[in-house]
Amino acid sequence: MPKESQGVSLDGQGKPLWLTLELTYRCPLKCTWCNNPLNFKDYEKRELSTQEWKDVLRDGRALGALQLGFSGGEPLERDDLEELVAYADEIGYYTNLITSGIGLTEQRMAALKKAGLKQVQLSLQSMHPELTDELVGAKAHARKLEAARLIKAHGLPMVLNMPVCRQNIGQIGAVCEFAASIGIEYIEFANIQYYNWALLNRDELMPTRDQVREAEAVVERWRREQGEDMTIYFVVPDYYESRPKACMNGWGAIHLTIAPDGVAMPCQEARVIPGLEFESVRDKPLSWLWHESPLFRKYRGLDWMPEPCRSCPEKEKDFGGCRCQAFLLTGDAANTDPACSRSPHHHLVTQATSQAGSPVRFRKPLIKRWDNGVSTAFMED
């Protein structure tokens, strides 16, 4: 997890260095930026069994995967999580649990550590209980704080992840203070990327440029104060940068995601792009899916690029940006990511950012996942 300022591009030498298992789409929260599908119950019927997940883990190691993220939905919804962690540890993965903290009890924390879990990434939206609960659509704040204390009490390294939006960007200092008080080693302030439900709520979620700059200044103060005791990442929203991020270090370069139904994907968002052929580990060997499938070869490397990416001297830094964002904003996943100032579609991003900074804006309620368009209004204080 390099600092955003380093611009590091990893060469996986054709290997999926980072494997993410989306064990389930079930989740107790209803976040207003959620990327998981609404028909999660359909996927629940098709979730891989414990043995099928073990087969994926074994095959992933054979491909060269080293880093492993247990994700979701909420991975704690799976009763076999501890068994999967133990097997992953046994065959040599560095295991990371990516969780909301809901369902993380003393008993489960102890069992996960005993199974060999190496790190936990916990999401926290603010230090105000009402704000956290409103953003995630559940009474979650107190349980998240308790989960953070449990993780540290058991001596595990921890990444505290705060999805940053207009409503909570002023909480960055308070979150740093909490993290320092209990000895958290890493904080990631990840400005929300606008896909799926976040795109639907973009006008209300996007902070202004001034808010982002103020937040960066707060992060810098905390970096100076904490020194080497805490590493703080601040991921700037690419809408406010002139170049897109090197999404997943390039399509099919180092990241391999397996969905609950066994579908292999280059990233967790890829299913938003129509016309792609998604295949499952139940039907094809993982090695073939990674190396040979049309899906992974579609935007891998540089040959697929249109202009202006094809002749851009920075194409090996950002790989054309995000294919999912290109599709969602322009209707064609092969287009240059509109976050890039050289993109012919960059005006779509500048229009959005100018509206975020408008002093007079029509305020709308945030629409939460599963609400079917019905939501209680949440306005800033």
Side-chain angles (χ1 to χ4, degrees):
M1 194 189 305
K3 292 183 180 179
E4 74 286 350
S5 59
Q6 291 177 326
V8 173
S9 177
L10 298 176
D11 182 2
Q13 299 179 332
K15 301 175 182 178
L17 300 182
W18 181 273
L19 177 62
T20 298
L21 304 189
E22 295 183 307
L23 297 181
T24 180
Y25 285 140
R26 287 173 282 156
C27 182
L29 305 183
K30 303 178 183 180
C31 298
T32 51
W33 50 81
C34 183
N35 295 325
N36 289 336
L38 290 181
N39 57 332
F40 70 97
K41 290 186 178 180
D42 295 337
Y43 288 92
E44 184 177 352
K45 300 171 185 175
R46 307 197 303 271
E47 285 181 9
L48 297 186
S49 67
T50 304
Q51 186 56 54
E52 286 175 317
W53 279 122
K54 287 183 177 180
D55 292 343
V56 170
L57 289 168
R58 182 198 62 229
D59 294 345
R61 282 292 291 130
L63 283 172
L66 300 171
Q67 300 278 339
L68 174 64
F70 288 104
S71 181
E74 174 49 65
L76 288 164
E77 294 277 328
R78 289 277 301 215
D79 294 335
D80 57 357
L81 177 60
E82 290 84 350
E83 183 177 350
L84 294 174
V85 169
Y87 181 71
D89 182 66
E90 178 186 331
I91 62 176
Y93 283 102
Y94 183 88
T95 51
N96 180 34
L97 176 64
I98 303 169
T99 178
S100 67
I102 308 304
L104 188 62
T105 62
E106 171 69 39
Q107 182 180 7
R108 293 206 78 178
M109 187 70 258
L112 286 165
K113 182 178 181 181
K114 184 178 179 181
L117 185 66
K118 296 297 188 290
Q119 187 184 65
V120 181
Q121 178 177 310
L122 175 73
S123 64
L124 180 67
Q125 287 67 33
S126 79
M127 293 308 299
H128 286 170
E130 297 82 5
L131 177 55
T132 298
D133 295 348
E134 177 60 38
L135 288 173
V136 304
K139 292 291 185 182
H141 184 80
R143 297 161 76 181
K144 285 175 172 287
L145 297 189
E146 178 58 25
R149 296 186 179 100
L150 269 177
I151 295 163
K152 295 314 302 173
H154 282 267
L156 286 177
M158 178 178 164
V159 178
L160 189 65
N161 175 274
M162 176 176 159
V164 177
C165 58
R166 167 186 283 265
Q167 288 78 11
N168 68 3
I169 195 168
Q171 285 283 294
I172 282 177
V175 170
C176 287
E177 185 175 358
F178 169 72
S181 72
I182 65 171
I184 293 174
E185 298 89 348
Y186 306 95
I187 310 179
E188 180 181 43
F189 294 109
N191 277 269
I192 289 170
Q193 301 299 304
Y194 298 103
Y195 312 117
N196 299 343
W197 285 82
L199 183 59
L200 181 66
N201 287 303
R202 186 181 66 183
D203 289 348
E204 302 309 313
L205 291 173
M206 185 182 295
T208 66
R209 190 180 300 274
D210 286 344
Q211 285 179 310
V212 173
R213 288 172 176 166
E214 290 171 9
E216 286 181 298
V218 173
V219 167
E220 284 303 318
R221 287 198 298 272
W222 276 95
R223 282 174 174 165
R224 290 192 299 269
E225 181 175 321
Q226 292 297 307
E228 296 183 359
D229 292 338
M230 182 188 297
T231 301
I232 307 176
Y233 307 97
F234 184 81
V235 184
V236 177
D238 52 10
Y239 276 48
Y240 286 124
E241 296 185 303
S242 62
R243 295 292 180 270
K245 293 179 174 60
C247 186
M248 313 304 284
N249 273 269
W251 179 281
I254 67 169
H255 287 262
L256 171 58
T257 293
I258 308 296
D261 58 350
V263 166
M265 300 181 291
C267 75
Q268 292 164 287
E269 304 300 325
R271 270 177 162 159
V272 305
I273 303 175
L276 299 179
E277 187 177 357
F278 296 95
E279 299 183 271
S280 171
V281 295
R282 284 176 169 147
D283 304 316
K284 298 284 188 179
L286 189 61
S287 177
W288 183 88
L289 291 168
W290 173 258
H291 288 296
E292 303 296 335
S293 71
L295 174 65
F296 278 84
R297 294 166 67 92
K298 180 73 173 178
Y299 302 112
R300 180 178 272 156
L302 306 175
D303 292 343
W304 63 272
M305 289 183 173
E307 293 294 350
C309 294
R310 183 178 292 274
S311 58
C312 179
E314 299 179 35
K315 63 184 177 184
E316 295 187 36
K317 294 181 181 179
D318 58 41
F319 308 105
C322 176
R323 298 303 87 225
C324 302
Q325 183 159 271
F327 167 73
L328 288 168
L329 295 186
T330 75
D332 187 346
N335 282 332
T336 302
D337 187 338
C340 181
S341 63
R342 296 174 178 172
S343 167
H345 304 283
H346 186 59
H347 65 280
L348 298 172
V349 166
T350 57
Q351 286 173 358
T353 55
S354 65
Q355 290 170 2
S358 174
V360 180
R361 301 169 70 239
F362 175 69
R363 309 300 295 143
K364 298 180 295 184
L366 291 174
I367 302 174
K368 300 184 182 66
R369 182 192 182 208
W370 307 338
D371 278 356
N372 295 320
V374 179
S375 174
T376 56
F378 169 68
M379 306 297 181
E380 306 137 56
D381 293 335

